[in-house]
Every structure is written in structure tokens, then in C-alpha cells.
Amino acid sequence: MIRLLDGFGTIVEITKAQGGYFDTTLLDAAYYQVDEGGRKQGETPTRPR
Amino acid sequence: MRKLICRLSLAALVPAGPLLAQLAPVNEVGLSMGHLHLAAPDREKEAKAWLALGGQLENNLSGNIPIGFPGVVVLIGQSRPVSAGSAGSLIDHVAFRVPDLDAALARWKGVDTWWKAGSWGLKIEPGTKPGQAFVTTPAGTKCEILEDKALKAPIVFDHVHYYVDESRLREMEDYYTKMFGAKPVKGEPDTLSMPGAKLVFTKSSTPTAETTGRSLDHIGLNMLNADVLKALPQPSKAKGPSCSGLMRVPPWG
């Protein structure tokens, strides 16, 4: 995300994958979701729990 | 057969749901209209007003209340005082289109029964031409409402309206064209088109204030991926003071 001062009196914020607000499948791959243990989807635990 | 008739009857009774809101596909630069970032002293009250306008509560990806409309998502930040409404600032107002203006205004006036006269906190004012009205939200964001009888959705986003000093009007239009790939709209002077929204520029005889700190704090664009930023004109190469400031850290996230 970047915030751009347009020099005329406002800011234009540029953010990727804002379609995720409407549909989470449109989220960027880097926007992962973690479980309660802090693991990403598909990630195996580093130690038995 | 009886079951079939029963099912068809039930299907006819269920009203068709509103069209799912979403952002427009990006342009060749990789950008489209993204969000309106609002501030409000009472954000729950503000959110109810935007929901009454026809928005839908969307996925909560941040600390903001996300309310979606076709073409834009309205993000209402944490409750905080605002310096003023949007009118009188560089972004004087934003605009939406509805298929039936009278019906929409009647809905937004709220309920009026013998035991209670309730409103959504929306201030409704008539427009200056047929098929136009203005609605101001509780925190002061001014919305122009335009009637478009051909519209299939209950409400869609239409434009962001800038009021700028006459001497800088052309410079500002050039900036939005070069930076974001906005294109002039044929037959509509001082109007640029982005996917999902138009950007309308009007000369202001009086100086307009900065938007930061007001109810409509700023707007946001949606980008396809981070490579879009590399393609943006860099401050040292781009012309004009408008490209002088790039910062990456938002003060409130």
C-alpha cells in the first residue's frame, strides 16, 4: 500500500487486492490467513501439539 | 406436479437479491476505483446511514467498517472527531446513481409512524436539476444522487467530484491522467474516467481546503499487484509539484 500526496490537497491511497473486501478469494496470495496457532493454511506444525 | 407448482410459487415469492457489489476490473495501468476512506465521530451511526443508502457490509479485513457498493467500498475508520464535512474541500462530494430517485429518497427519509419518527441521520436536499438530489451523511460526507432509469442495480457508484482553483484545473486533470491512466470522457468536459468511477473536476471561485481530517478523508485506488507501483511516474521524473510527495506509512493504518 502506498499513500500518494497529489499536491492539490488530498491523498490517493493505492492498495492491492481491495476486491478482497467483497470476495476473499480475490485476496492477494501474500495476504494469508492464520489459525489460532499462527499457522498459515497448509503449513504443518513445527512440533506436536 | 403439485410439488413442482408449490416450488415455483415459493420461488416467485422470494424477491431477487441485490446484485453483488464488486470493484471494476483494472485499467491498462493496473488501477481501478477502490475505496472512500471516511472518518466519523460516531462510526456506528455513520455505518448505519451508509447501509441505509444501499451498501452491504463486506469482509472485515482491517480496523475499518467496510460497506460495499458496486464500484467502490466505503471504509469507515475508528471513531474520531472530524474538522468538517466534505463540502468546501477539494473533494466536495461523491456521487451515486439509483434507478428511481423518488423511491430512494422516500426510503432514506426513514420511518414515520404514529409512535416514532425515525431517520437514518441522512440529510436530504433537492438538486438543481431534475433527477438529482443531495444526501449528507451524519458525519458530513455529501453524496450527489443521480437518477438512471436504465440501471439494474439498486445503487451504484458514479463519480468523485473535485473542486479546484481555476488556475490548477488543467494541471490536476493532467496529473490524474498521467499518474493513474484516467481517460477523458467524450461529451463531458473536465471529466475523466477510471474503471468503476468518473473523476469530475469543477472550477472553484474560492480556495478549497485539504481533505485530510474531514469526514471524507481521502480516496483509494485498487491496484492489480505491487508491480503497478514500479510503473508509476517517479517524483524526480514526473512534472509538477503534484508528484513531490510519496509516503508509505499511513498515520492510522
Side-chain angles (χ1 to χ4, degrees):
Chain A
M1 189 262 276
I2 192 167
R3 307 184 84 229
L4 190 63
L5 305 173
D6 76 345
F8 298 94
T10 192
I11 292 169
V12 180
E13 199 172 89
I14 304 176
T15 318
K16 65 181 174 181
Q18 288 184 71
Y21 281 109
F22 301 96
D23 181 0
T24 50
T25 62
L26 298 177
L27 281 175
D28 190 85
Y31 191 100
Y32 54 82
Q33 292 176 320
V34 296
D35 67 4
E36 303 84 25
R39 285 176 301 172
K40 298 176 198 172
Q41 186 178 5
E43 196 175 61
T44 53
T46 53
R47 58 185 169 81
R49 303 184 189 202
Chain B
M1 187 64 185
R2 189 174 288 174
K3 281 184 178 177
L4 180 64
I5 293 171
C6 185
R7 283 176 187 164
L8 288 174
S9 305
L10 284 172
L13 287 172
V14 176
L19 292 175
L20 286 176
Q22 58 182 349
L23 298 181
V26 297
N27 61 10
E28 66 278 3
V29 180
L31 296 170
S32 66
M33 185 64 205
H35 70 262
L36 307 174
H37 204 123
L38 308 184
D42 183 348
R43 72 172 185 162
E44 278 73 26
K45 186 178 179 184
E46 184 74 5
K48 283 176 189 169
W50 284 94
L51 289 170
L53 276 177
Q56 298 173 46
L57 200 57
E58 304 294 350
N59 299 315
N60 189 4
L61 303 181
S62 58
N64 306 302
I65 299 178
I67 298 175
F69 292 87
V72 76
V73 59
V74 173
L75 299 177
I76 305 173
Q78 298 294 331
S79 295
R80 64 178 167 92
V82 295
S83 57
S86 62
S89 71
L90 184 77
I91 303 176
D92 184 86
H93 63 267
V94 290
F96 293 84
R97 281 181 290 132
V98 295
D100 186 341
L101 185 64
D102 290 337
L105 294 179
R107 202 164 55 243
W108 297 336
K109 278 173 184 166
V111 290
D112 191 7
T113 59
W114 63 270
W115 72 89
K116 187 178 182 183
S119 75
W120 306 109
L122 296 168
K123 184 182 168 191
I124 297 171
E125 294 168 298
T128 54
K129 58 184 180 183
Q132 183 200 44
F134 290 95
V135 175
T136 306
T137 68
T141 299
K142 188 177 173 185
C143 301
E144 181 182 0
I145 309 296
L146 300 164
E147 188 172 59
D148 178 0
K149 291 186 185 299
L151 193 66
K152 300 293 180 195
I155 187 166
V156 297
F157 189 62
D158 189 71
H159 70 258
V160 181
H161 207 129
Y162 296 90
Y163 277 63
V164 61
D165 187 78
E166 186 174 359
S167 63
R168 303 197 72 190
L169 182 74
R170 195 62 55 202
E171 185 188 356
M172 191 171 181
E173 288 181 21
D174 289 345
Y175 173 79
Y176 278 80
T177 303
K178 288 174 185 167
M179 285 295 285
F180 310 125
K183 292 187 170 60
V185 178
K186 283 183 182 175
E188 296 183 41
D190 299 321
T191 303
L192 302 176
S193 174
M194 285 285 292
K198 287 187 286 189
L199 309 175
V200 182
F201 300 86
T202 297
K203 298 170 195 168
S204 174
S205 54
T206 56
T208 51
E210 292 188 357
T211 60
T212 307
R214 293 196 168 222
S215 61
L216 176 49
D217 190 274
H218 62 267
I219 68 160
L221 300 178
N222 173 47
M223 66 175 161
L224 183 65
N225 53 47
D227 292 337
V228 173
L229 293 179
K230 295 177 189 168
L232 287 180
Q234 296 301 306
S236 56
K237 295 176 186 172
K239 291 180 181 176
S242 49
C243 302
S244 59
L246 284 169
M247 61 177 183
R248 289 176 184 275
V249 183
W252 53 84

